[in-house]
Amino acid sequence: MSKKEYKKELEFLQVELLKLQSHVKKQNLKLLIIFEGRDAAGKGGTIKRITQHLNPRGCRVVALPKPSDVEKTQWYFQRYTAHLPSGGEIVIFDRSWYNRAVVEPVMGFCTKEESENFIEDVPYFEALLRRADIKIFKFFLFIDKDTQKKRFQDRRENPLKSYKISPVDEKAQELWDDYTKAIQNMLTKTNQTPWIVVDSNHKKRARINTIKYILANTEYKDKTKIDNLEVDNSVVFNVDDAIK
C-alpha cells in the first residue's frame, strides 16, 4: 500500500467512523473498544487514527497509570469501571484490565494465584458489561520479535518517541517466551467475548483493517457498502487461527 493509497483509504474510513459516532450518540449506545498487544505493537498509533477526527465530547481514550496504593487494596476491576462508556459514548482502552493476564504476572507485579483468579473472573465481568448493553470489541495487536526490536531501537534514537520506552519495555525482548505463553493463555481462556487478533508488523495495513473490522461489525445510519469494508484475512484473525 502506497502512502497515497493509505491516506485516501484512511480518510474514507474516518468519514465512516464519524457516521458511526453520530449513530452512537443519537441512539444512546455504549461502545467499548479494548486494545492489547505486545510492547511497540502499534496500539497508540491505531487509536490515534480512529479518534483523529471524532468529536472528543463523545469519545474518550483511557490509558491508566500503575495503580495507587489505595487502588491496590480495591477489587481489581474497580478502577476500570469508572471509565466505562455512558450512553452515547465511545470509550477506547489503551491497555485494560488484561494487564493482570500478561504484563503483571510476567513482570512479577502480581502473584500467580491473582492472575489465575483474574482469568476465571473476567468472562463473568464482561458478561455483565454485555448485559448492560455495552458493545465490546477486543483487539490484540501482535508483532514478531525482530519487529519489536527495531521499533524499540527507533524509540531510543528518536527524541520524540523516547518517552515510550519504559522499564517494562526494556524487559520485553528478554522475556519474549514468557510473554508468548501468557498471551496464548489469555487469548484462549478469555475468548467468551471474542478476541480479534491483528498482525501489526505492517502498521498501515493493521490500522486500516482494524477500523474496517469495527465498521463492518457495527450497524449505523448511511453505512457504506459492505464491500468497502472487507477485511483482509491475512491481517485479521480469530483466536483459533492466530495461535496455530
Side-chain angles (χ1 to χ4, degrees):
M1 181 181 293
S2 69
K3 186 175 182 180
K4 184 177 181 180
E5 289 171 333
Y6 167 70
K7 184 177 180 181
K8 181 179 180 181
E9 187 156 18
L10 180 62
E11 287 178 352
F12 169 77
L13 294 173
Q14 287 174 331
V15 171
E16 291 296 307
L17 284 169
L18 281 167
K19 295 179 189 177
L20 171 60
Q21 184 181 33
S22 176
H23 181 76
V24 168
K25 183 177 180 180
K26 288 179 181 178
Q27 298 300 318
N28 209 35
L29 304 178
K30 294 171 280 189
L31 180 57
L32 174 64
I33 306 173
I34 293 172
F35 280 95
E36 294 289 343
R38 289 187 185 268
D39 297 314
K43 297 179 294 296
T46 302
I47 292 169
K48 180 179 179 181
R49 272 65 183 187
I50 292 172
T51 61
Q52 193 169 8
H53 297 291
L54 296 183
N55 185 341
R57 292 184 178 180
C59 179
R60 291 185 287 115
V61 177
V62 179
L64 298 182
K66 65 180 182 180
S68 67
D69 290 341
V70 171
E71 287 172 331
K72 289 177 182 177
T73 70
Q74 297 173 345
W75 176 50
Y76 180 73
F77 295 100
Q78 187 167 336
R79 75 186 192 121
Y80 295 100
T81 56
H83 300 280
L84 293 172
S86 302
E89 193 175 31
I90 300 170
V91 171
I92 301 175
F93 274 81
D94 184 350
R95 293 199 183 277
S96 66
W97 41 82
Y98 282 101
N99 281 329
R100 178 134 294 186
V102 180
V103 175
E104 289 188 19
V106 171
M107 293 296 297
F109 298 152
C110 74
T111 66
K112 181 179 179 181
E113 182 181 13
E114 286 172 330
S115 184
E116 289 175 346
N117 288 342
F118 167 83
I119 291 290
E120 290 183 9
D121 292 345
V122 70
Y124 299 103
F125 174 68
E126 290 176 358
L128 291 174
L129 301 187
R130 296 196 306 272
R131 188 179 296 178
D133 294 324
I134 297 176
K135 184 176 179 63
I136 307 171
F137 287 101
K138 299 193 313 191
F139 291 99
F140 187 88
L141 277 54
F142 80 86
I143 51 176
D144 60 40
K145 193 172 184 179
D146 288 341
T147 298
Q148 186 186 64
K149 184 178 180 179
K150 290 174 183 176
R151 291 183 184 176
F152 280 165
Q153 189 60 33
D154 180 52
R155 289 180 177 184
R156 294 185 187 99
E157 295 173 355
N158 187 337
L160 295 177
K161 296 181 179 180
S162 59
Y163 75 94
K164 294 183 177 181
I165 287 288
S166 70
V168 172
D169 294 333
E170 295 290 357
K171 287 276 191 178
Q173 288 272 295
E174 177 185 339
L175 298 172
W176 181 270
D177 291 341
D178 293 329
Y179 272 110
T180 298
K181 292 177 184 177
I183 289 166
Q184 290 179 342
N185 185 57
M186 176 189 76
L187 293 178
T188 54
K189 291 184 178 179
T190 65
N191 198 42
Q192 292 85 354
T193 302
W195 282 101
I196 308 305
V197 182
V198 182
D199 182 347
S200 195
N201 286 293
H202 302 280
K203 290 181 180 181
K204 293 177 182 177
R205 288 194 301 178
R207 293 166 184 167
I208 291 295
N209 281 279
T210 299
I211 297 172
K212 281 185 175 182
Y213 188 91
I214 294 169
L215 295 169
N217 289 278
T218 311
E219 295 304 317
Y220 55 93
K221 187 178 179 182
D222 299 324
K223 185 174 181 177
T224 187
K225 295 179 181 178
I226 195 65
D227 291 349
N228 295 329
L229 301 175
E230 186 176 356
V231 173
D232 186 343
N233 290 326
S234 69
V235 178
V236 177
F237 309 89
N238 60 39
V239 166
D240 290 337
D241 291 335
I243 63 175
K244 285 181 180 178

